[in-house]
Amino acid sequence: MSSVEDDRSILEEGLLQNEDRRLYSGDGSVDIKGRPAFKQNTGNWKACPFILSTECCEKLAYYGIAANLVSYLTHKLHEGNISAARNVTIWQGTCYLTPLIGAFLADAYWGRYWTIAVFSAIYFIGMCTLSLSASIPALKPTECVGSICPSPTPAQYAVFFFGLYLIALGTGGIKPCVSSFGADQFDDTDPRERIRKGSFFNWFYFSINIGALVSSSFIVWVQDNASWGLGFGIPALFMGIAIASFFSGSPLYRFQKPGGSPLTRMCQVLIASFRKRNLNVPDDCTLLYEIQDKNSAFEGSRKLEHSNELKCLDKAAVLSAAETKSGDVINPWRLCTVTQVEELKILIRMFPIWATGIVFSAVYAQMSTMFVEQGMMMDTTIGSFTIPPASLSTFDVISVIFWVPIYDRVIVPIARTYTGKGRGFSELQRMGIGLFISALCMSTAAVVEIKRLQLARELGLTDQEVAVQLSIFWQIPQYFLLGLAEIFTFIGQFEFFYDQSPDAMRSLCSALSLLTNSLGNYLSSFILTIVNYFTTEGGKPGWIPDNLNEGHLDYFFWLLAGLSFLNMMVYVFCAKRYKQKKVS
């Protein structure tokens, strides 16, 4: 009789658990009051419009500064081409470096919601400072008089760059957290919501590019034809709208609890494995230490299954004879769980895939630097209307906006029938296609520059710093290809670093994916410096002189095309050997 009652009790408990899975999120997320997230009232697509509109407005603000920054530095601060390009790439690199700060705070202490809130305020202050630097007469750089262009005062430089780098700091809490916070609205334990999450990343990137479209067309036009003060003030206004939109959706959000410092956990694994370097790892992985609860030892994290790579780290989870005898398994600096060890293994396995994103980001950096400078030396007029060269990035955005719906609604269903994957392509396949397209993009830019230089020679303009009568619309294919490459590579990175990261390290892994953008900008700046150094020896004008008509910008583009192709080959080698994470 007792056995029958026990069976009934187990059955009832299982039914209750299944009912809870249907009613509440199964990934440990909570609502704004800290209660288990009720699926019907929180998360999913009902929460996403607020997040997507926030991202759209924030990106409008960011690209309202970034898209035409090289023009402001050359025309208002009177910097040379190399100096302006270097300053832009260093600033953009910093914008993708500060996310490491925001990601650490989000994963360890504040959670993604409050990290976004705090850093958004810093961002807004930076935008307002930048607007004032271009509006108040005492802070505005002096205009050129004929060929005489006075240098800005130290105070003018200081206020401008202070605002610029406050924005860079503010992006640190937004870039790594908004995409992850949006993905948090979909329950990983629900198969239907997992597929919807794949669509979310596509539409998240779509929102980014809607904001970028407005910036690269309307905002750039205002900056070049109205005033820079207004051109910086409008993005500041939209940043304020982004903050309001984000807070408006608070009652609908699902929140993941911060799981403590991921850096501390990684250090614990390294130190514990070093201390036990003389112990042997048992052949039976079930003998390694793991807590017996259903969830892992860390907030916001599920258990991870043991993998056979990097067995030297498994020593951190080996129970020594003294620990087995005494039962003292509390000190994490001497004994770590299998999940904790696997977190570090996952980051190490991700590293080669992560590193190949740096060259792609160096290619992407050309859109706001060398592509713009190339466009400045082309025919930018249509009748009486002048096209700002930076506004050609609109075609990159149009390419993204064109391809996202087609990819999500057409390409994915077709690919799904052949691959059997819910998202059509795996994240690794998607990124690989994007890397190949990036090499085509740089090759196209090189061909356009060859045509431009050929025309400059035919017209005898080599010694004159004047635009060649070649329409700027010849640049459209390179922008269009770059947009297509983004659809595959950047969105693939969003998916890959969210899905493959440990649950309690998702902000950190998103920041690491963004770090490739930072290092790509620094790499671009480094390549520019090296190219300038070696090609100007002996008084030569070099590949990228201030007068591009006497240079060889095409050689620089061919160099990046070659690096992109080599990078793709390395990526294919690494991707074939990558081992997916397994959640217990």
Side-chain angles (χ1 to χ4, degrees):
M1 186 68 179
S2 176
S3 176
V4 173
E5 290 177 352
D6 288 345
D7 290 343
R8 184 183 296 122
S9 176
I10 292 171
L11 178 61
E12 289 174 351
E13 183 179 351
L15 291 172
L16 287 172
Q17 288 177 350
N18 286 332
E19 184 65 23
D20 284 346
R21 287 193 190 100
R22 286 194 294 268
L23 296 177
Y24 295 95
S25 176
D27 58 1
S29 57
V30 297
D31 63 17
I32 194 169
K33 296 182 179 179
R35 303 170 300 193
F38 190 57
K39 283 190 176 184
Q40 187 174 351
N41 297 337
T42 63
N44 219 314
W45 280 111
K46 67 176 70 69
C48 290
F50 299 96
I51 298 171
L52 295 177
S53 60
T54 297
E55 183 64 11
C56 180
C57 291
E58 184 272 325
K59 281 299 180 286
L60 187 151
Y62 175 78
Y63 287 113
I65 305 301
N68 209 20
L69 184 58
V70 71
S71 294
Y72 187 83
L73 292 175
T74 54
H75 296 151
K76 296 298 179 181
L77 293 185
H78 318 310
E79 295 187 349
N81 284 342
I82 291 289
S83 176
R86 188 184 298 117
N87 273 327
V88 171
T89 52
I90 289 173
W91 175 72
Q92 288 181 330
T94 304
C95 287
Y96 288 98
L97 185 62
T98 54
L100 291 173
I101 301 171
F104 175 78
L105 292 173
D107 282 340
Y109 304 111
W110 295 353
R112 286 184 263 278
Y113 177 84
W114 286 111
T115 302
I116 294 169
V118 171
F119 280 79
S120 292
I122 297 171
Y123 198 132
F124 183 66
I125 294 170
M127 296 292 297
C128 292
T129 303
L130 205 63
S131 301
L132 293 175
S133 75
S135 304
I136 297 175
L139 299 177
K140 290 169 61 176
T142 307
E143 296 286 344
C144 294
V145 180
S147 60
I148 301 173
C149 297
S151 298
T153 66
Q156 290 169 344
Y157 260 123
V159 173
F160 176 78
F161 281 102
F162 176 72
L164 200 62
Y165 279 89
L166 267 185
I167 294 170
L169 177 60
T171 62
I174 298 175
K175 288 183 183 295
C177 295
V178 176
S179 62
S180 296
F181 187 66
D184 287 344
Q185 308 311 308
F186 300 90
D187 185 0
D188 262 344
T189 65
D190 186 326
R192 289 174 300 178
E193 290 198 16
R194 279 183 61 84
I195 292 176
R196 291 173 192 158
K197 184 171 65 179
S199 270
F200 166 78
F201 284 116
N202 291 328
W203 293 106
F204 178 81
Y205 205 71
F206 182 86
S207 300
I208 288 175
N209 283 273
I210 290 292
L213 176 63
V214 177
S215 294
S216 59
S217 53
F218 174 67
I219 302 297
V220 167
W221 185 89
V222 169
Q223 291 168 348
D224 282 355
N225 295 278
S227 76
W228 283 93
L230 184 62
F232 287 157
I234 295 173
L237 173 64
F238 273 90
M239 188 61 217
I241 295 173
I243 295 172
S245 174
F246 180 72
F247 281 112
S248 298
S250 297
L252 299 175
Y253 295 150
R254 295 177 187 172
F255 304 82
Q256 291 287 348
K257 297 177 182 178
S261 171
L263 298 180
T264 300
R265 295 201 299 275
M266 287 187 282
C267 290
Q268 287 171 344
V269 172
L270 292 173
I271 290 175
S273 59
F274 179 77
R275 283 176 166 171
K276 296 182 176 180
R277 60 190 180 278
N278 295 322
L279 296 182
N280 294 320
V281 177
D283 293 331
D284 185 357
C285 65
T286 61
L287 298 176
L288 297 173
Y289 174 65
E290 181 61 275
I291 63 170
Q292 298 305 308
D293 294 342
K294 183 177 71 172
N295 297 319
S296 78
F298 316 113
E299 286 275 11
S301 179
R302 294 167 292 173
K303 287 183 180 178
L304 296 169
E305 291 185 6
H306 176 263
S307 63
N308 292 321
E309 295 83 16
L310 301 167
K311 287 195 172 183
C312 59
L313 296 177
D314 288 337
K315 295 186 177 184
V318 175
L319 283 160
S320 66
E323 288 166 339
T324 303
K325 184 177 180 180
S326 66
D328 181 17
V329 294
I330 297 174
N331 187 350
W333 294 95
R334 293 183 176 276
L335 183 64
C336 303
T337 64
V338 169
T339 294
Q340 191 174 348
V341 172
E342 289 301 316
E343 284 184 336
L344 181 56
K345 286 186 181 181
I346 286 172
L347 293 182
I348 294 173
R349 289 201 300 267
M350 281 181 170
F351 179 79
I353 303 297
W354 168 85
T356 57
I358 297 173
V359 173
F360 179 83
S361 295
V363 168
Y364 183 72
Q366 306 315 307
M367 183 172 65
S368 56
T369 53
M370 290 298 104
F371 283 10
V372 176
E373 294 187 4
Q374 182 187 39
M376 289 177 181
M377 301 299 289
M378 301 175 75
D379 183 8
T380 60
T381 60
I382 300 180
S384 59
F385 184 77
T386 300
I387 304 168
S391 69
L392 259 289
S393 60
T394 302
F395 288 97
D396 166 83
V397 178
I398 291 172
S399 175
V400 171
I401 293 172
F402 173 78
W403 281 109
V404 164
I406 291 178
Y407 181 88
D408 195 63
R409 303 300 183 189
V410 179
I411 296 177
V412 168
I414 292 173
R416 189 183 294 147
T417 61
Y418 291 99
T419 65
K421 300 180 186 297
R423 299 179 188 177
F425 298 104
S426 70
E427 299 95 336
L428 293 172
Q429 289 171 336
R430 188 170 186 172
M431 288 188 284
I433 294 170
L435 294 180
F436 173 73
I437 297 172
S438 71
L440 292 181
C441 169
M442 296 315 300
S443 300
T444 303
V447 170
V448 171
E449 183 62 11
I450 289 172
K451 176 68 176 177
R452 196 193 68 80
L453 289 175
Q454 180 183 357
L455 192 57
R457 287 191 294 269
E458 290 174 356
L459 298 175
L461 301 176
T462 304
D463 297 328
Q464 302 178 44
E465 192 175 348
V466 295
V468 172
Q469 293 303 304
L470 180 68
S471 174
I472 196 172
F473 290 118
W474 278 82
Q475 286 190 309
I476 290 176
Q478 65 204 55
Y479 281 104
F480 198 80
L481 284 171
L482 188 58
L484 183 58
E486 288 176 61
I487 288 295
F488 285 94
T489 302
F490 281 152
I491 300 179
Q493 285 180 341
F494 282 145
E495 292 184 274
F496 176 78
F497 285 101
Y498 185 88
D499 283 349
Q500 292 301 309
S501 64
D503 292 346
M505 291 186 181
R506 278 175 167 161
S507 295
L508 178 62
C509 289
S510 293
L512 290 175
S513 72
L514 293 167
L515 184 59
T516 62
N517 289 276
S518 173
L519 296 178
N521 277 278
Y522 291 142
L523 175 62
S524 175
S525 181
F526 175 75
I527 293 173
L528 280 169
T529 301
I530 294 298
V531 164
N532 186 58
Y533 176 79
F534 283 106
T535 62
T536 56
E537 287 183 332
K540 296 177 183 177
W543 288 1
I544 314 173
D546 288 340
N547 176 16
L548 291 180
N549 289 341
E550 61 178 353
H552 267 293
L553 184 58
D554 55 326
Y555 292 174
F556 178 73
F557 289 148
W558 283 123
L559 174 63
L560 288 180
L563 287 175
S564 297
F565 183 77
L566 289 175
N567 183 62
M568 183 193 69
M569 300 303 292
V570 172
Y571 172 84
V572 171
F573 177 82
C574 296
K576 285 183 176 180
R577 286 156 181 77
Y578 181 78
K579 303 293 184 183
Q580 302 278 332
K581 80 169 183 181
K582 293 182 179 179
V583 178
S584 175

